[in-house]
Amino acid sequence: MAFPEKSKYVIIGAGIHGLSTAWHLAKELKARKAGSGEDILVVDKTAIGAGASGIACGVIRNNYYQPAMRELMAHSVALWEEDAEGYGYYPVGYMQISPEVMHEDVALIYEQQKKIGYTSVFIEGEKDCLKYMQENIFHDWQAKEITSILHEKKGGYAFNTKSLYRLADKAEAEGVRILPGVEVTGFKTDKESVTAVETNKATNPSDYVVVGPAPWARSFWNMLNLPR
């Protein structure tokens, strides 16, 4: 695929955040009649999933302390469920099995999961935890000093490569261009913003630049102000 002379949106990194951002942005542009996936270019210096996304453990869970993060993860789990086979996702649930030192924190997570309707079970006390594990998970469970179990009925795990290529397929179906082997070497800027992305292939003038990892992607979505 020829390197485009200009792209309105350039996303750096073809990992899960970069590809997901490209796909959702393409759909949002189309829905708002503000453009399409053809306005978006994803570049990666190596290949799809060649970075952290390709070696991550693949766990899908909602086990976080921040309330906003839990709501985001609940939404994320729902997206995984929409195309479980395509993503290589197995909704086997998730368990946090903890000693007493973590009991209070895990109880807080459970209470906040209940508030957002996220299905989970909380078991307290060493005797009841042992019974729950032996009757429901492993009949020969013998771990000692476990005083809390948070069993999320949703969530599970996914195979990274299949997940990433499925996201790439969805993005490309919306017209997004994904170019591997393109290394970003710098940026051209004016006084207030990036005006072009410099790469080992060419310089690409752009209106918006997203760096794939999540904090950068969130900053981009906060900045983006498309007409509704």
Side-chain angles (χ1 to χ4, degrees):
M1 187 183 297
F3 197 89
E5 293 182 2
K6 184 181 187 327
S7 299
K8 187 168 185 179
Y9 305 94
V10 176
I11 297 173
I12 303 169
I16 193 164
H17 292 296
L19 293 172
S20 180
T21 297
W23 175 43
H24 284 92
L25 175 58
K27 293 197 300 179
E28 190 72 7
L29 291 170
K30 183 178 180 180
R32 298 187 184 191
K33 295 181 170 46
S36 70
E38 294 181 1
D39 298 316
I40 303 168
L41 172 67
V42 179
V43 298
D44 195 288
K45 66 180 179 180
T46 308
I48 292 172
S53 294
I55 60 174
C57 63
V59 172
I60 317 302
R61 62 175 184 164
N62 193 9
N63 193 270
Y64 295 89
Y65 292 110
Q66 302 86 354
M69 191 68 170
R70 271 189 292 281
E71 293 186 24
L72 177 62
M73 290 301 104
H75 176 69
S76 177
V77 170
L79 290 176
W80 284 98
E81 292 172 339
E82 286 181 3
D83 190 10
E85 184 176 354
Y87 290 132
Y89 168 57
Y90 292 83
V92 296
Y94 176 84
M95 300 182 76
Q96 178 166 338
I97 303 168
S98 308
E100 183 59 26
V101 69
M102 299 182 67
H103 193 154
E104 184 177 349
D105 288 339
V106 179
L108 177 62
I109 293 174
Y110 172 64
E111 289 300 323
Q112 294 181 351
Q113 285 181 347
K114 283 199 302 182
K115 288 181 180 178
I116 63 171
Y118 195 81
T119 308
S120 59
V121 175
F122 188 50
I123 300 92
E124 300 177 89
E126 186 171 359
K127 182 178 178 180
D128 287 341
C129 287
L130 180 64
K131 181 181 178 182
Y132 186 84
M133 293 300 295
Q134 290 181 341
E135 292 183 354
N136 296 281
I137 310 297
F138 300 113
H139 68 87
D140 57 349
W141 180 265
Q142 300 179 43
K144 305 297 183 183
E145 300 181 2
I146 299 300
T147 63
S148 67
I149 296 172
L150 179 57
H151 188 177
E152 299 180 16
K153 297 296 185 173
K154 291 176 173 288
Y157 70 95
F159 288 106
N160 306 33
T161 300
K162 188 169 185 178
S163 303
L164 293 166
Y165 275 90
R166 181 60 168 168
L167 273 176
D169 287 344
K170 288 174 179 284
E172 289 181 328
E174 295 290 338
V176 174
R177 288 166 289 182
I178 302 172
L179 294 181
V182 177
E183 183 176 2
V184 174
T185 58
F187 300 96
K188 287 188 175 181
T189 63
D190 58 20
K191 293 182 178 180
E192 297 182 351
S193 62
V194 174
T195 59
V197 177
E198 297 176 333
T199 77
N200 61 341
K201 303 293 184 182
T203 297
N204 187 279
S206 55
D207 296 331
Y208 300 97
V209 179
V210 185
V211 181
W216 291 90
R218 287 197 295 270
S219 297
F220 169 76
W221 282 106
N222 291 336
M223 170 271 294
L224 185 60
N225 185 22
L226 295 173
R228 291 187 177 274

